Amino acid sequence: MKTLIVEDNELNLVLARDLLLHHGHEVMTATTVAEARVTLSRWRPDVVLLDVQLPEEPGTALLDEIRLDPTLRSVPIIAVTAFAMAGDRERFLERGFDHYMSKPIDTRRFASEIEAQVSLRSEARGILSEFP
Ligand code: MN
């Protein structure tokens, strides 16, 4: 699975990257929306893990761009954020994220939860494409 991690906190980034590499993911990382934009211009991931609080531009700026790009729009985007207030999950899903995971990440479930989300979405797309 090709996974793009966009996260400005180095410790969080390294932890997420190492967990996913350990699970056999091919991982690219970015610490800003601008960096992620460059990566996405030449590499199409199967999933994007997107920190919402980033310097310069918010994660939602990248979310909106991906959704407007015909070659990327179906890539699942998972918000990985430190927000943990009641209603946050609903707010992020309403905003257009496919899934929401709160920080600190649960190291035992992190990779499998991402993989489950991606296969759920690709199955859903397969079903939809049978009924155009
Ligand atoms: Mn951040």
Side-chain angles (χ1 to χ4, degrees), residues 7-8 51 53:
E7 166 66 74
D8 65 313
D51 179 17
Q53 291 186 297

Side-chain angles (χ1 to χ4, degrees), residues 6-9 12 31 51-55 80-82 103:
V6 188
E7 166 66 74
D8 65 313
N9 179 283
N12 288 338
T31 57
D51 179 17
V52 177
Q53 291 186 297
L54 293 163
V80 184
T81 85
K103 286 187 277 199

Side-chain angles (χ1 to χ4, degrees), residues 12-30:
N12 288 338
L13 182 64
V14 166
L15 175 62
R17 186 198 62 196
D18 288 354
L19 282 167
L20 296 180
L21 287 174
H22 185 72
H23 277 251
H25 291 224
E26 191 182 323
V27 178
M28 295 283 281
T29 62

Side-chain angles (χ1 to χ4, degrees), residues 31-125:
T31 57
T32 63
V33 168
E35 255 183 63
R37 208 173 271 138
V38 172
T39 300
L40 288 168
S41 69
R42 55 188 166 74
W43 192 76
R44 187 186 190 281
D46 299 309
V47 61
V48 177
L49 306 182
L50 184 54
D51 179 17
V52 177
Q53 291 186 297
L54 293 163
E56 296 158 33
E57 294 173 86
T60 48
L62 188 67
L63 170 75
D64 293 340
E65 282 177 31
I66 290 172
R67 294 306 189 223
L68 287 171
D69 185 330
T71 65
L72 294 172
R73 65 175 15 140
S74 64
V75 175
I77 305 175
I78 299 176
V80 184
T81 85
F83 294 104
M85 297 188 311
D88 280 343
R89 177 177 297 273
E90 292 70 25
R91 197 160 54 83
F92 283 111
L93 298 184
E94 234 163 70
R95 183 62 182 77
F97 287 97
D98 291 284
H99 187 59
Y100 160 90
M101 295 167 79
S102 62
K103 286 187 277 199
I105 61 176
D106 181 342
T107 55
R108 292 159 306 171
R109 294 187 57 238
F110 188 62
S112 57
E113 186 169 341
I114 292 161
E115 288 159 15
Q117 283 297 318
V118 172
S119 63
L120 194 72
R121 311 244 154 223
S122 61
E123 276 166 36
R125 273 198 304 281

